[in-house]
Structure formats: structure tokens, C-alpha cells
Amino acid sequence: DGLAVNISYRDGKYINATTRGDGFIGEDISQNVKTIKSLPLIIHKSNLPQKFDLRGEIFIDKKDFRTINEELKKNKEKEYSNPRNLAAGSIRQLDPSIASSRNLKIFIHGISKPSDFTEFKKHSDLMIYLSKLGFPINNYSKILTNLEDCFQYFHEMDNLRDKISYEIDGLVYRVNDFSKS
């Protein structure tokens, strides 16, 4: 559970990042997203399009959330109510050093235009490729082949949710075949 983000790359270089906003216009959060240590800012030797946009989720671990709130409490400052609010508030800071100090993380989970990625026929293949390029991809992603497997995986994740180091607010199922999107 975090803040949805759209990240643009041109010629293998990070250009900018925006929030999802209203679906058409989002906030420019480029400087703060650059501080996320796990996000590659330059991609060397890839088969990705010259211009492409990735979609992801910025979040903060439960442990980091507790540490920050303990420090705020010690300083008699207002604490954050949940990790999502802390991540969203951190990424919207005017000072990128504050965002950097919060140890924000990101998972890349999609792309804006599948038609730009003609080399990849399946979403799962693209995610594996992005992972090999250094993009953080959620390790709980799984290919399911039928509705029964979807229900079973939902229950499996529901049983794991308290053991995962970050908050989750649900699962996203997507069609793996780009020709169907």
C-alpha cells in the first residue's frame, strides 16, 4: 500500500516522475523519486523503447515507519497514521533530502503503453526483463492460470500479509498477454 507513480525514461535515462493524480494530470515528484536508492536512473544496453513510462508503487517498510514515528514522538511532533501516508507525504516534500532520509522503496508493476513494448508478448516476461535491468519488482508476483488459482492465491496472501515487511491493501490481477490489453 503506497503511492502510485508514473516514471518516464528517454534514451535509457530517468527523466521525471509524477503521481497518478486525476488520471490525466499528476504532481511532479521527479526530484524526490530520484532519491529512491533502488530505482535505476540510467539503463545501459537494453531492448527497451527509446521513450517509455513505467508504473510503480512507492512505499515504506513497517520497520522504517515505526522508527520514524518513534523519532517524531520523542521530539513531540505529530506522528503519521500509517505507512502509506508517510510514503505519500515524504515523496511530496519540497526538500529532496527529507525524502531521501525516509528510506522509501518502490516496486515497478507495469507500463503505460504495452504497444510501445513490441518485443515482449507477456507482462511477466517484461517484468523479468526489467528486474534483470535492476528495477525492483515484487517477489510475490505470480502467474495464475485460472479463477480457482486466483482465489487460492488470495487466501495465501491474506495469510501472509502480517508477515510481509510492508503494508498491502489487496492484490492486483492482470491479463498476462499484451495482445489482450
Side-chain angles (χ1 to χ4, degrees):
D1 187 21
L3 178 71
V5 63
N6 192 69
I7 304 169
S8 299
Y9 286 82
R10 303 295 178 260
D11 299 317
K13 295 178 184 156
Y14 170 91
I15 297 299
N16 66 5
T18 58
T19 63
R20 180 174 47 201
D22 64 5
F24 297 101
I25 299 172
E27 296 172 61
D28 183 348
I29 53 173
S30 302
Q31 293 305 314
N32 291 343
V33 170
K34 280 173 64 170
T35 70
I36 298 174
K37 295 157 188 70
S38 62
L39 183 69
L41 300 179
I42 298 175
I43 306 159
H44 301 284
K45 299 180 183 176
S46 78
N47 293 332
L48 298 174
Q50 179 187 8
K51 298 177 183 181
F52 64 93
D53 295 331
L54 300 178
R55 293 207 172 134
E57 191 91 1
I58 297 171
F59 65 98
I60 190 162
D61 281 339
K62 294 174 189 175
K63 179 183 171 213
D64 292 330
F65 171 73
R66 286 189 300 272
T67 300
I68 290 168
N69 263 351
E70 286 168 7
E71 186 67 25
L72 290 169
K73 186 176 185 176
K74 186 173 88 175
N75 293 332
K76 297 183 181 177
E77 296 179 52
K78 185 179 178 188
E79 298 170 58
Y80 285 90
S81 59
N82 58 59
R84 187 200 183 287
N85 287 356
L86 176 55
S90 298
I91 210 66
R92 289 180 167 115
Q93 290 288 323
L94 296 178
D95 181 355
S97 68
I98 294 172
S100 181
S101 73
R102 301 268 169 91
N103 199 25
L104 296 170
K105 295 177 176 58
I106 188 168
F107 285 132
I108 300 301
H109 59 69
I111 54 177
S112 293
K113 290 175 52 184
S115 59
D116 288 347
F117 293 81
T118 55
E119 185 164 323
F120 300 93
K121 303 298 179 214
K122 294 183 177 185
H123 180 265
S124 58
D125 293 339
L126 176 59
M127 292 297 107
I128 290 168
Y129 185 73
L130 290 173
S131 178
K132 289 178 181 176
L133 291 175
F135 288 97
I137 307 298
N138 191 304
N139 291 332
Y140 290 103
S141 295
K142 190 172 188 177
I143 299 171
L144 306 168
T145 58
N146 59 55
L147 193 55
E148 184 180 321
D149 289 349
C150 292
F151 284 119
Q152 182 178 345
Y153 191 61
F154 174 84
H155 293 297
E156 180 182 330
M157 291 305 298
D158 192 39
N159 291 330
L160 280 176
R161 81 182 311 146
D162 292 334
K163 296 174 186 147
I164 297 173
S165 66
Y166 50 88
E167 295 282 332
I168 62 172
D169 60 358
L171 300 179
V172 174
Y173 297 94
R174 69 171 70 227
V175 176
N176 195 29
D177 186 342
F178 280 142
S179 69
K180 308 266 191 247
S181 45

